[in-house]
Amino acid sequence: EQARMFESLRGDYLFAMVLIYALLAIPLRSYGQPLIIMAVIPFGLVGAIGGHLIMGMDFSMMSLFGVVALSGVVVNDPLVLVDAVNRYRRAGMPLREAIVQGSARRLRPILLTSLTTFFGLLPMIFETSMQARFLIPMAISLGFGALFVTAVALLIVPALYLAVEDLRELSWFSVAEGSETPAMAGD
């Protein structure tokens, strides 16, 4: 029964990831930036496993449901960060300065939303009643995963944004964008 449920969850999870990608690609008008944002999702699993180790609980099916829910929650912080950088770039700011300014400008809102999520889940994590016992692994996955992803997102997302832009600026990478090849440019 668990194997069948896990197989169904895997298919639904992949569909949800494609849907998240599409919902990010449309407003950002980019194929690469949603990948930058979604790159933090695997770190949610690391945070969830770390939270289970800290709390001394076994990783269960409910923990896995928490990780699935976490995947939708953790894209908010990187999205806010990438949007801020994009706004500064549209205003004419150089790339590196836009990344620094966007990261500094969005630091407090990102920290506040993640910390309120974590502290809002603490009562459920420390609940002792038998009725809530099966929800505790899900709360641990959500709380600790969100906390860990926030720390990672504040470091990884600006670095990935810069790396993607650096790749885009390489001459061999931008040949497809221009109307002539580098060999033709010298003729």
Side-chain angles (χ1 to χ4, degrees):
E1 186 66 29
Q2 265 189 341
R4 194 169 16 143
M5 188 164 47
F6 183 73
E7 187 64 33
S8 172
L9 184 64
R10 188 173 68 178
D12 293 343
Y13 185 72
L14 290 175
F15 176 71
M17 291 300 104
V18 169
L19 195 59
I20 289 172
Y21 177 84
L23 289 172
L24 291 171
I26 292 168
L28 292 173
R29 295 185 179 124
S30 170
Y31 294 113
Q33 288 183 352
L35 294 175
I36 294 170
I37 293 168
M38 293 177 70
V40 300
I41 292 174
F43 293 103
L45 179 62
V46 174
I49 292 170
H52 280 79
L53 291 173
I54 290 169
M55 298 303 294
M57 291 201 73
D58 292 335
F59 201 81
S60 67
M61 197 62 156
M62 290 305 286
S63 304
L64 195 56
F65 288 149
V67 170
V68 171
L70 180 67
S71 298
V73 172
V74 298
V75 296
N76 294 333
D77 293 344
L79 175 60
V80 167
L81 186 58
V82 168
D83 182 58
V85 173
N86 287 343
R87 287 180 189 211
Y88 281 120
R89 293 203 57 213
R90 280 193 299 271
M93 196 175 282
L95 174 64
R96 290 182 192 273
E97 188 178 339
I99 290 173
V100 169
Q101 291 296 322
S103 298
R105 178 95 173 134
R106 296 286 99 198
L107 176 66
R108 187 181 318 164
I110 288 171
L111 285 176
L112 287 175
T113 56
S114 298
L115 288 174
T116 55
T117 300
F118 178 73
F119 287 120
L121 288 166
L122 276 182
M124 187 181 299
I125 291 171
F126 290 113
E127 181 61 46
T128 57
S129 71
M130 289 305 285
Q131 293 88 351
R133 294 294 293 166
F134 76 97
L135 290 176
I136 293 172
M138 186 185 299
I140 290 172
S141 291
L142 276 168
F144 283 93
L147 202 59
F148 186 72
V149 165
T150 298
V152 169
L154 290 170
L155 298 172
I156 297 281
V157 171
L160 284 175
Y161 194 107
L162 187 60
V164 167
E165 291 301 317
D166 284 348
L167 281 175
R168 193 175 291 169
E169 290 177 8
L170 288 175
S171 62
W172 60 269
F173 200 69
S174 60
V175 168
E177 295 175 13
S179 59
E180 54 186 32
T181 63
M184 294 172 62
D187 294 341

